[in-house]
Amino acid sequence: MNVQVVSLETRSKAKRFGGKSGGRGHIQIKGVTVRFGHGADAHQAVRETSLDIPPGQFVCLLGPSGCGKSTLLNSIAGYIMPSTGSIQVDGEAVKEPGPERGMVFQQYSLFPWKTIRDNIAFGPKVAGRGYAECSSIANTFLEMVGLTRFADKYPTELSGGMQQRVGIARALANYPSVLLMDEPFGALDAQTRLMMQENLLKIWSEFGTTVVFVTHDVDEAIFLADRVLVMSASPGSIIADLAVPLPRPRVLDMATSPDFMEIKKECLEQIRSESLKAFEEQDR
Amino acid sequence: MPAPAGVPRQHNADSSQGNRSAMSVKARASELEILETAEISAGEARAVPSAPFEAGGPRRSLPSLATHALGLLQSHGPSFTVSLGALLAGLVLWHLATLYKFNFYIDFENTPSPVQVGKSFLGHLSTQDFYIHIGVSMQRIVTGYLLAAGLGITVGVAMARSRIARAAIYPYIEVLRPIPAVAWIPLAILMWPTEESSIIYITFLGALFPVVLNTLHGVEQTPEVLVRAARSLGATRLQILWHVILPAALPSIAAGLAIGMGVSWFSLLAGEIISGQYGIGYFTWNAYSLINYPDIVVGMLIIGGLGTLSTYAVRLFMRPFLGWQRRAR
């Protein structure tokens, strides 16, 4: 798979539609707790979490499976209502899913009966935009993810990596202020995954939307993010908030550089000590 | 593909008529698979023979043409030849049985021979009544079936999307579904103002349940992640229904429509045998009353042929909507 270089035209279009975030996409999470079930079966997936994500930041939620990171993401998306606390995006309380918060799922989320073009144009179409506008938006994003040649194919005719690029394009076609990604590359093979990460960063550098990216892969989190939020299971809370001072643009070579290793080491040490603390707290 | 496309389809339609009441969700699902495999095998069978011609170009010597014809027979022919041979063998056996008045448990003494049936059929082709019988039956099928398709899909979607609708309607479905069409006849005659409307009602009822249950099943099978994706893309409830749920359920709905068509014929015949003055079912039963035995078989074969044709028409109609599915394989 080749990584597509974003063309100048796409770049100017992205800017016109409020690229570089334009101050949109400020996520404020205040005292959020998410509980599932009732009575004795009740289970706390997310406990008393507060967060402030400034516009345009790339944040990775890192943690083992079942730690509540997807639950937190789904709360921002509006699929899950927090039991307590509040979530606001740009000052508006999140009540339900909406096009200003684009969502990219792990896999198999494209409409198999729609062509790639129609999948990407879905958001503009249901928003009531005309045919001409829909197809021009679709063309812009097809080009951006390098799939113009595949516009009239159906999702199942594409590889997993291509499908995820379509998923990203489809979410971005609504020009969201926030892009929420739930382990989007988790089902891809290692090589494709690296390409996709670089590809995503390129797209993000043009759009500058706020990104919340859920992953359990430390390398992925460090490579992508400005900021890594480490979550731990059982209490379902954020145990570490780490800044990633690597320069941008980031390229694949960086993933093996001494700087990267240094940050990774720090990150792992902090995860370890915070996890231990969390365990001790639990035992008490 | 070893078997011709027609064989699994036939089996499918028959089993749905035979033990409609015993059909579980699982059985329907497997039926769906059979439908799909039938469709694929049909597609492949067509795709294979066309290839050598495209490859060769227009000009071709006689020997090479013969080789290609042979190749055609080899790729596509064997199953077709076997089917044709089996049909012919059946005709010959039937003929011999009637010729020698075979009578051992099954009695062929009064059974018409294939030649008699053929003659009788050809004779009917030039009478107007014969076409009226067929026309009346087709009209009943179309009316009852279209009503069943429309209401069936609506009710199926409502049941799948609303818990209240499901709780209210499901008991009716469960109680009414196992009742065979024949059992409805007396009540239908009492309830409906005309004989015609009671026959259409019975036809409608036959097609209704397969359509409802397959729609329900199909809608329930919609992957939740697609609904979630549509919501986050800004789709309203109605838009989700139209753009996500209905397309996702369509393969299952198409299977239900095809099965429903078969059951619809099955029910129509029951209705026509007991009451009515026209229709191919009446024609068949009347032939028995009038001791005109070849016509019984003529009627039966017409019913079989029309049933198959109309099921095929339903499939053909649904095909453009399911193009994405074939592309996917």
Side-chain angles (χ1 to χ4, degrees), chain B residues 49-89:
Chain B
S50 71
F53 283 112
E54 281 162 18
R59 269 179 298 159
R60 188 170 283 159
S61 64
L62 207 67
S64 84
L65 255 180
T67 326
H68 275 281
L70 251 171
L72 249 172
L73 257 178
Q74 273 166 354
S75 63
H76 176 64
S79 56
F80 183 72
T81 319
V82 169
S83 299
L84 202 69
L87 275 176
L88 282 174

Side-chain angles (χ1 to χ4, degrees), chain A residues 79 97-98 109-110 113 126 156 174, chain B residues 226 228 231-232 239 243 247 328:
Chain A
Y79 294 119
S109 73
L110 300 179
W113 47 84
V126 296
T156 38
N174 276 326
Chain B
L226 296 185
R228 279 161 42 104
R231 286 180 71 196
S232 89
Q239 283 170 329
H243 289 291

Side-chain angles (χ1 to χ4, degrees), chain A residues 74 78-79 96-103 105 107-114 119 122-128 152-154 156-157 170-171 174 182, chain B residues 222-236 239-240 242-251 320-329:
Chain A
N74 282 325
Y79 294 119
E96 57 183 358
E100 73 286 354
R101 278 160 286 127
M103 184 88 182
F105 300 86
Q107 56 177 338
Y108 303 130
S109 73
L110 300 179
F111 305 118
W113 47 84
K114 286 185 188 288
N119 261 285
F122 184 83
K125 187 177 174 182
V126 296
D152 296 316
K153 297 266 183 213
Y154 286 86
T156 38
E157 297 177 277
R170 183 178 66 174
N174 276 326
D182 194 357
Chain B
T222 309
E224 195 50 38
V225 68
L226 296 185
V227 176
R228 279 161 42 104
R231 286 180 71 196
S232 89
L233 290 165
T236 62
Q239 283 170 329
I240 290 173
W242 183 251
H243 289 291
V244 182
I245 290 166
L246 280 180
L250 210 55
F321 303 107
L322 298 171
W324 58 273
Q325 243 196 344
R326 272 196 302 287
R327 288 281 286 272
R329 287 166 203 276

Side-chain angles (χ1 to χ4, degrees), chain B residues 230-271:
Chain B
R231 286 180 71 196
S232 89
L233 290 165
T236 62
R237 268 180 79 97
L238 209 64
Q239 283 170 329
I240 290 173
L241 181 69
W242 183 251
H243 289 291
V244 182
I245 290 166
L246 280 180
L250 210 55
S252 181
I253 294 176
L257 287 174
I259 296 168
M261 183 49 100
V263 183
S264 185
W265 273 98
F266 185 76
S267 312
L268 170 83
L269 266 299

Side-chain angles (χ1 to χ4, degrees), chain B residues 84-108:
Chain B
L84 202 69
L87 275 176
L88 282 174
L91 274 177
V92 169
L93 275 178
W94 173 16
H95 182 73
L96 291 176
T98 51
L99 189 67
Y100 294 106
K101 306 207 183 300
F102 177 84
N103 188 356
F104 180 75
Y105 198 67
I106 304 174
D107 186 359
F108 275 86

